[in-house]
Amino acid sequence: MFGFKIGVVVVVLAALLAVAILVVVVAAIRAGARPSTSLGWRSPGLPPPISADLQNRVRALLAEGRKARAVQLVREETGISPREGKSVVDAIAAGRPLPGDPSPADLASRARELKASGHTQQAVMLVRDETGMGQKEAEAFINAL
């Protein structure tokens, strides 16, 4: 008999939790649940991530002579301003690094600082993460610094 009461309590608690989750979801949907103009992933001074797929689609639009559509596409997918969108598209068109992307020199400087402070393994991991190098290649890169 006691086990039956515990089972009922568990079922009631699970039902209450499900109702609470449902209420939150419905409230979010009714409130619009859309990102504001300042997107949550954006930090001041940091550029938005521009995927390789987006870069390829921008290149295709540029090849068709549709620069304005390319800027619009970048803005739609990242939420950036018209000025930022134009600078991203201009960088892609010119084959330059995207605004805010760390350059290889920046990577070397950061890796050199880690190595100098005695954090050689972290420097190797940094190089591997940002370049896709294997362990031996990254170690050779760090040793050459």
Side-chain angles (χ1 to χ4, degrees):
M1 186 72 174
F2 184 69
F4 175 74
K5 289 181 181 180
I6 291 177
V8 170
V9 170
V10 168
V11 169
V12 169
L13 288 177
L16 288 174
L17 180 61
V19 168
I21 291 172
L22 182 64
V23 167
V24 169
V25 169
V26 169
I29 291 171
R30 293 193 79 202
R34 298 192 190 341
S36 66
T37 54
S38 67
L39 297 175
W41 55 263
R42 299 270 327 257
S43 296
L46 292 179
I50 308 293
S51 69
D53 176 58
L54 177 57
Q55 291 180 42
N56 290 334
R57 289 186 286 154
V58 167
R59 285 187 194 95
L61 288 169
L62 290 170
E64 297 172 5
R66 299 175 61 197
K67 183 176 181 179
R69 176 62 188 128
V71 172
Q72 182 183 13
L73 176 66
V74 169
R75 293 192 59 227
E76 287 170 358
E77 295 212 4
T78 62
I80 61 178
S81 72
R83 180 179 296 164
E84 290 172 313
K86 183 179 181 310
S87 68
V88 166
V89 170
D90 288 343
I92 291 171
R96 295 188 315 259
L98 297 177
D101 273 359
S103 69
D106 291 338
L107 173 61
S109 299
R110 290 180 287 146
R112 191 176 294 115
E113 288 175 15
L114 283 169
K115 181 181 175 184
S117 65
H119 297 95
T120 305
Q121 193 56 37
Q122 283 92 346
V124 169
M125 290 182 350
L126 173 71
V127 170
R128 289 187 68 188
D129 288 345
E130 292 196 15
T131 64
M133 287 183 188
Q135 181 73 25
K136 290 184 179 184
E137 294 169 315
E139 287 173 354
F141 178 82
I142 295 300
N143 290 334
L145 293 178

